[in-house]
């Protein structure tokens, strides 16, 4: 098995591409307790310096602690953990750890447009950097759209620039009712 790696705009996150499908729905783990839902995430969290794991469609993003071991020391252990997991044939998620469907009623027409634009134009671009961006809320009275960054994009030094220069401009262009985009931490 050959696993490629790619840098991300976040210097504390690397994208690992094992050449196979990973997750039908993106999934983020920010603590060892959350990682208990996945044998692979749990294995990665046992490595000194790992502070986050994100499963994308065909990649695994791993975030390291800023003051922990550097990538030269951590990367071989991450590669080994990913390879061992896929060679073992273990499932990505343990039984009962499926991603919960979003609760709530039907979206307004405007929110449906926002989500469609996120899914078609923005999320694929963010996924190239090893992360994901999710709809959180839209206040129709003020025009403020709040989004949640995950994976390599969460905590990335350039994430606020991505939101303002990229996402906000695109949203305002296609959906004029959006006046501002903010990140939920």
């Amino acid at each position: 098995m050959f696993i490629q790696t790619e840098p991300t705009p976040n210097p504390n996150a690397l994208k690992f591409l094992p050449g196979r499908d990973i997750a039908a729905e993106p999934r983020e783990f920010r603590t060892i307790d959350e990682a208990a839902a996945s044998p692979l995430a749990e294995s990665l969290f046992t490595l000194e310096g790992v502070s986050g794991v994100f499963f994308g469609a065909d990649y695994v993003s791993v975030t390291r602690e800023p003051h922990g071991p550097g990538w030269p020391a951590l990367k071989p252990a991450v590669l080994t953990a990913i390879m061992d997991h896929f060679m073992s044939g273990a499932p990505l998620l343990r039984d009962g750890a499926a991603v919960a469907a979003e609760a709530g009623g039907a979206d307004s027409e405007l929110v449906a447009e926002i989500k469609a634009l996120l899914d078609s134009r923005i999320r694929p671009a963010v996924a190239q950097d090893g992360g994901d961006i999710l709809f959180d809320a839209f206040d129709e009275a003020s025009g403020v759209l709040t989004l949640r960054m995950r994976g390599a994009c969460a905590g990335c030094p350039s994430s606020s620039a991505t939101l303002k220069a990229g996402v906000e401009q695109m949203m305002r262009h296609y959906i004029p009712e959006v006046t501002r985009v903010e990140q939920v931490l």
Side-chain angles (χ1 to χ4, degrees):
M1 173 178 223
F2 179 71
I3 301 172
Q4 295 179 325
T5 59
E6 290 182 0
T8 70
N10 182 348
N12 294 318
L14 276 180
K15 187 174 169 182
F16 295 83
L17 298 115
R20 63 180 349 156
D21 290 340
I22 303 296
E25 290 293 322
R27 184 79 185 250
E28 182 176 40
F29 304 91
R30 292 171 290 181
T31 66
I32 186 74
D33 292 336
E34 289 177 4
S38 165
L40 175 55
E42 191 172 52
S43 174
L44 291 167
F45 264 97
T46 64
L47 302 175
E48 181 186 351
V50 170
S51 65
V53 174
F54 181 80
F55 298 149
D58 63 349
Y59 65 90
V60 176
S61 260
V62 177
T63 304
R64 70 176 189 87
E65 295 171 357
H67 302 293
W71 283 118
L74 189 55
K75 184 176 169 181
V78 171
L79 287 166
T80 299
I82 293 171
M83 187 176 307
D84 287 351
H85 173 80
F86 287 113
M87 298 305 281
S88 76
L92 187 65
L93 299 173
R94 291 190 168 93
D95 289 339
V99 177
E102 278 187 39
D107 292 331
S108 70
E109 187 175 319
L110 195 53
V111 168
E113 282 183 57
I114 290 169
K115 287 181 176 180
L117 183 59
L118 275 170
D119 288 345
S120 66
R121 306 276 308 255
I122 297 168
R123 289 181 77 196
V126 172
Q128 290 178 345
D129 288 337
D132 194 16
I133 188 167
L134 298 176
F135 175 87
D136 186 69
F138 179 64
D139 183 340
E140 293 192 28
S142 67
V144 175
L145 171 62
T146 53
L147 302 172
R148 186 174 309 275
M149 306 289 272
R150 302 192 309 175
C153 296
C156 175
S158 63
S159 65
S160 52
T162 298
L163 280 177
K164 291 297 177 190
V167 177
E168 185 174 289
Q169 285 183 1
M170 183 178 290
M171 282 290 172
R172 291 173 71 185
H173 175 77
Y174 287 103
I175 304 171
E177 293 85 351
V178 173
T179 61
R180 190 170 76 239
V181 174
E182 296 178 355
Q183 180 177 353
V184 175
L185 299 175

